[in-house]
Amino acid sequence: MKLNLSEIDPQKTFEEIITQEKELVYSVLFYAAGLLVGSFGFTLIKSEVLTNGIKALYTPQTGNLYSLFICNFALYISVFAVTVLLALFLIGYPVINAVPLVIGCAVGLKLAYFYITYGVKGIGYSLLLVIPQAAIFTTVVLYTIRQSAIISKYILKCVSSKEAGEPLKIKSLLKSYIVYTLAVTLAAFANALFTYLFSGIIRI
């Protein structure tokens, strides 16, 4: 399900709009919290193992673009699948925001690594190697969470009461998930492509 601005009444107050899109707002807040935890966590921990781990992500062991893409796609589609599957469980709605929290933490760690290690140059490295794919993938996950939360709450209502409200539009949901899967593929390819193109220029 996509956020349709035409569905938002311009006469509604800001509070009403936030309430209408609360699942999306919660996910953004958890993601922002993850960014802060990851950024400050890297600064405080300063672990050699953690540093080498992040460095390895951007130091491809092969020059094969296809191999890089497959590795990235396997990781991204796994996270996406977990987000989708949580919609099918009764506990999915309460715990689903752990996903953007973890993603935000991972992105925060990478951003902190580049900035602390390379200073001002690290900002440029982040813009090339972190921000593009993170922006695409995070957006997809946030909207997937929004949709999965709706499904999870619907299932919860079906179990807890006789009236579940308006039935879910299965075809619309499936179309949305197909679009999200394509976007996940794009994010994985963007990450692989930028790593492939710039790993030889940027000395990580």
Side-chain angles (χ1 to χ4, degrees), residues 10 16-17 25 28-29 39 43 58 87 94 107 114 121 136 149 158 163 179 182 188 194 203:
E16 289 173 329
I17 294 174
V25 172
V28 171
L29 291 176
S39 299
T43 305
Y58 297 98
V107 174
F114 280 117
K121 289 183 179 180
I136 298 172
C158 289
E163 296 182 2
V179 172
L182 293 175
F194 278 84
R203 300 299 178 184

Side-chain angles (χ1 to χ4, degrees), residues 150-189:
I150 293 172
I151 299 173
S152 183
K153 286 193 294 183
Y154 178 83
I155 295 175
L156 183 60
K157 286 181 180 180
C158 289
V159 173
S160 61
S161 65
K162 294 182 180 180
E163 296 182 2
E166 185 180 349
L168 293 174
K169 298 178 181 178
I170 303 301
K171 288 185 179 181
S172 177
L173 293 174
L174 290 177
K175 287 180 181 179
S176 296
Y177 280 132
I178 291 173
V179 172
Y180 296 157
T181 302
L182 293 175
V184 169
T185 304
L186 176 61
F189 180 75

Side-chain angles (χ1 to χ4, degrees), residues 78-90 92 96 144 148 177:
S78 297
V79 176
F80 175 71
V82 168
T83 307
V84 173
L85 290 174
L86 282 174
L88 305 178
F89 295 93
L90 295 179
I96 201 168
T144 303
S148 296
Y177 280 132

Side-chain angles (χ1 to χ4, degrees), residues 15 17-34 93-94 96-101 142 145-146 149 153:
E15 182 178 353
I17 294 174
I18 293 299
T19 302
Q20 179 181 333
E21 299 296 334
K22 61 182 179 180
E23 285 84 10
L24 192 59
V25 172
Y26 290 156
S27 297
V28 171
L29 291 176
F30 273 93
Y31 178 74
Y93 181 63
I96 201 168
N97 279 311
V99 177
L101 180 67
L142 292 181
I145 287 174
R146 180 178 183 267
K153 286 193 294 183

